[in-house]
Amino acid sequence: MSADTQPTAGVTAINQALSQLKQEYQDILEGGVDDSSLSATENHCLLYPTETQRYWNLVFFREEFHTDLNTGHITSLVYNKETGQQVTLEEALELAGQTADDLCQALADQYDPTLGQDIPGADLCIQNQTVEGFRMGADDQPIFYLTARVGSGRGTAAGSRCTGNVQVP
């Protein structure tokens, strides 16, 4: 976007979200880790920008260290170049004809049957599924990013959080 062009509502919304993300990592960005509970060696924020004919996608993968677990999170910002608007998760779900619950169940259906294969007799399952973000693919269809914990089938969260993606056919 040129400097003399007024930003659209979508650009403004995405810039505000980027400012909030920057605030979360300001200590690391400034090298002031001593004053922070975050450590530059244990925490990462990686940007995966992509562009299609219709969309700009900014997908941030944030890995944070908390006590004994590394926790991965996704933040996604999607801009529709044709409408000048930010695409929300709700809009992406509607476009895909899905709900967050549908995607979380699909993740469990995909991974639950295979979890016990590495540890025979273990009662493991996917827990705490969350749809954290999405990007728009070259076919203008959303690709969703979910996180979940692998834990005991008895409801006790154990293990580390995993990040995966689901593309709806």
Side-chain angles (χ1 to χ4, degrees), residues 2 9 13 22 24-25 27-29 36 40 50 58 60 65 79 82 99 119 125 132 156 163:
S2 67
K22 180 182 174 189
E24 290 180 36
Y25 284 87
D27 288 337
I28 290 176
L29 293 172
S36 171
T50 59
L58 299 175
F60 294 88
F65 183 79
Y79 178 75
E82 291 180 8
T99 67
I119 308 170
C125 65
E132 291 207 5
T156 314
T163 303

Side-chain angles (χ1 to χ4, degrees), residues 140-161:
D140 290 341
Q141 290 299 306
I143 299 168
F144 296 96
Y145 296 92
L146 290 81
T147 58
R149 288 196 183 274
V150 174
S152 164
R154 292 176 291 282
T156 314
S160 60
R161 194 163 174 99

Side-chain angles (χ1 to χ4, degrees), residues 14 17-18 21 47-48 56-62 73-79 86-89 92 131-136 143-145:
I14 287 172
L18 288 170
L21 186 63
L47 169 64
Y48 298 97
W56 285 326
N57 300 288
L58 299 175
V59 177
F60 294 88
F61 173 72
R62 296 173 300 156
H73 291 285
I74 298 290
T75 298
S76 63
L77 304 168
V78 178
Y79 178 75
Q86 180 179 6
V87 181
T88 65
L89 177 59
V131 179
E132 291 207 5
F134 71 99
R135 68 178 170 86
M136 300 302 285
I143 299 168
F144 296 96
Y145 296 92

Side-chain angles (χ1 to χ4, degrees), residues 7 30 37 42 46 50 53 64 98 108 111 121 124 134 139 163:
E30 292 176 352
S37 62
E42 297 171 332
L46 306 172
T50 59
Q53 189 168 350
E64 302 167 1
Q98 297 288 320
Y111 285 99
L124 300 175
F134 71 99
D139 60 356
T163 303

